[in-house]
Amino acid sequence: MSTAKHTPGPWAIDDHQAGDCYAYVIPESGSILGAICRVDLPLDSYGQGLADARLMAAAPDLLAVLQELQESAAYWSEYDVPLGIVSRIHDAIEKAIGSKP
């Protein structure tokens, strides 16, 4: 398994930042990793900003689960899992870490 080069999780959403923003942060330190702000989105899609922030905050957890699945994939029967799922797991991890897992 590759060593992560990103800021380690957990990440969380903090909507108490200045302005109409949802920030994804490191809960222990409160360090802001990024933010989705209303000024970046049409007013009718502000709910989408919260959804995007939730997805970004979940990214470290999602990557960890995919890496666990990748490790266990060697033991799966081709009849037990959807066709192509192992290659999709590999592709998603590669996209997240920027290199072959």
Side-chain angles (χ1 to χ4, degrees):
M1 184 185 322
S2 300
T3 303
K5 295 178 183 169
H6 60 80
T7 303
W11 298 354
I13 298 172
D14 182 356
D15 62 352
H16 297 93
Q17 301 297 318
D20 293 326
C21 295
Y22 290 100
Y24 44 107
V25 301
I26 302 170
E28 292 175 2
S29 67
S31 298
I32 297 174
L33 297 166
I36 303 293
C37 297
R38 176 173 281 174
V39 295
D40 297 331
L41 299 169
L43 291 177
D44 61 344
S45 66
Y46 189 56
Q48 181 181 347
L50 176 57
D52 291 345
R54 286 182 178 144
L55 181 60
M56 290 177 208
D61 299 323
L62 295 170
L63 177 58
V65 168
L66 284 175
Q67 289 173 322
E68 288 177 37
L69 287 171
Q70 181 183 38
E71 289 178 6
S72 66
Y75 304 103
W76 296 347
S77 162
E78 65 182 273
Y79 303 106
D80 294 335
V81 298
L83 184 64
I85 194 73
V86 174
S87 64
R88 293 189 347 242
I89 289 170
H90 291 292
D91 292 346
I93 293 171
E94 182 178 340
K95 186 175 183 179
I97 65 175
S99 63
K100 295 263 183 214

